[in-house]
Amino acid sequence: MHSQTTTLLWVVLALTAASIEPILIKMGYRAQANPWQLLALKNIVAAIVMFFLSSGQLKAIPAIFGKSSMDSSKSTDEPNSAGVPRYSATTPFWILVISLLLCSTNVFMLFALQRISAVEFITVTTTTPLAVALVNMYLGNDSRGKMFWFGLILAIVGVILSIRPGGLSIDLVGLGLALAAVLSSTTYRLRAERLLKTLDSRLLSFCLFAVNGAVALVILPFTGAINSAILVYCLWMGAAAALANLAFIAAIKDLGATRMSIINLIQRPLVVAGAAIALNEHCTITQWLGIAMVLGGVQMAQVRP
């Protein structure tokens, strides 16, 4: 019961924080920010937040990046027979890879949101769970029945219905950037699921943002003048990004990448609700119907054969 409650809290936190971020990005653009400023400041703040949240796990870093992890005879990320994490020589490499995948996803998202609305962006990225499920099934890591596909289709149709009239008029560049975010996010989620077999979720999240934060420090001086409004939005954005990433990968560890990606469809209705409040937008009856279909489809998609 305690484990189920903890997982539920991680899911709620991941969905809430991830829903806030696109709205903050749009507000940052209204404050005359550019994508590189948002990317740099967001990752620096997120790295600082994760440093404090994962302080108890940082002692494991020498074991990951030290000489003991370079034993080529231990070429697996699986725990040993005693259940003690055994880091392989490839662990630092894959941490770097998924750090860059996370950074790439953020870059694609920021530039896409410069051209299309948060609602449109989330609508396109709704295809991510389908991509994750298909790859996992192809690799033999998961199996799904008819209810999964019916629920997924119902949820995607619900997402489409919840778009405002005319909302599907996405320009090709914005669409391409959103689809690129889907591809990088899919690869990121699947690889993160493997690393989480031996890495604590807080430690992995800190490592990801530490790498991205270091890159951000290099590009920050070249991003232009930053006003106080941009700084405020980026502080909130960085905190939201850190909490969303930590909660998401913690939930992946408990639920798996496919199931968590399906549950993450709930983020779409939360974005609509958040936009209605923060951006002074209003939902139509059709949109609310779509939201209900998303919630119902998410529940169906979790049923296993």
Side-chain angles (χ1 to χ4, degrees):
M1 180 63 71
H2 174 72
S3 177
Q4 291 178 344
T5 302
T6 301
T7 301
L8 177 61
L9 290 175
W10 282 128
V11 170
V12 172
L13 179 58
L15 296 177
T16 303
S19 298
I20 292 173
E21 191 177 357
I23 297 172
L24 291 173
I25 290 174
K26 298 300 286 190
M27 290 181 170
Y29 284 140
R30 290 182 180 181
Q32 306 304 312
N34 64 57
W36 297 112
Q37 290 173 333
L38 297 180
L39 177 69
L41 289 172
K42 163 190 166 180
N43 280 291
I44 292 171
V45 172
I48 294 172
V49 171
M50 283 311 309
F51 174 80
F52 289 104
L53 290 179
S54 59
S55 56
Q57 300 292 326
L58 299 183
K59 60 184 179 182
I61 290 181
I64 298 174
F65 295 95
K67 291 182 179 179
S68 60
S69 71
M70 297 300 125
D71 183 359
S72 60
S73 65
K74 299 177 180 179
S75 59
T76 175
D77 289 331
E78 299 288 346
N80 62 20
S81 58
V84 178
R86 184 176 65 185
Y87 306 119
S88 74
T90 61
T91 299
F93 169 77
W94 285 113
I95 288 176
L96 177 60
V97 169
I98 65 173
S99 297
L100 296 178
L101 285 169
L102 178 61
C103 186
S104 298
T105 301
N106 287 327
V107 170
F108 294 139
M109 176 178 67
L110 287 166
F111 280 95
L113 286 170
Q114 207 177 23
R115 307 180 67 96
I116 60 180
S117 70
V119 168
E120 291 170 326
F121 176 80
I122 297 299
T123 298
V124 175
T125 54
T126 299
T127 59
T128 302
L130 178 58
V132 172
L134 288 173
V135 174
N136 258 333
M137 292 171 67
Y138 176 77
L139 295 175
N141 298 330
D142 204 354
S143 62
R144 297 284 163 168
K146 294 180 180 179
M147 287 296 291
F148 168 82
W149 297 107
F150 182 77
L152 185 59
I153 292 172
L154 181 64
I156 292 176
V157 172
V159 166
I160 295 173
L161 287 178
S162 65
I163 301 174
R164 293 179 177 279
L168 285 173
S169 56
I170 306 175
D171 68 77
L172 293 178
V173 175
L175 175 61
L177 290 168
L179 291 175
V182 170
L183 293 175
S184 60
S185 180
T186 298
T187 309
Y188 159 77
R189 296 179 192 200
L190 293 172
R191 190 62 226 188
E193 185 176 11
R194 289 197 61 186
L195 282 179
L196 286 169
K197 292 178 180 178
T198 52
L199 289 179
D200 179 85
S201 54
R202 289 172 295 172
L203 179 60
L204 177 57
S205 190
F206 169 73
C207 290
L208 299 182
F209 281 114
V211 173
N212 290 345
V215 174
L217 286 173
V218 174
I219 68 173
L220 182 60
F222 307 99
T223 60
I226 300 172
N227 60 46
S228 58
I230 294 174
L231 185 60
V232 169
Y233 286 128
C234 287
L235 288 173
W236 284 105
M237 194 186 309
L243 292 175
N245 182 265
L246 171 60
F248 192 82
I249 63 176
I252 284 180
K253 189 168 187 176
D254 291 336
L255 301 175
T258 299
R259 193 175 181 192
M260 185 54 198
S261 294
I262 297 299
I263 295 175
N264 200 46
L265 284 174
I266 299 175
Q267 177 185 350
R268 178 61 183 80
L270 289 177
V271 169
V272 174
I277 297 172
L279 304 177
N280 196 29
E281 297 180 353
H282 301 285
C283 296
T284 65
I285 295 177
T286 303
Q287 286 179 294
W288 288 119
L289 175 61
I291 290 172
M293 292 177 66
V294 170
L295 296 174
V298 166
Q299 185 61 36
M300 289 182 183
Q302 295 181 64
V303 177
R304 290 185 177 275

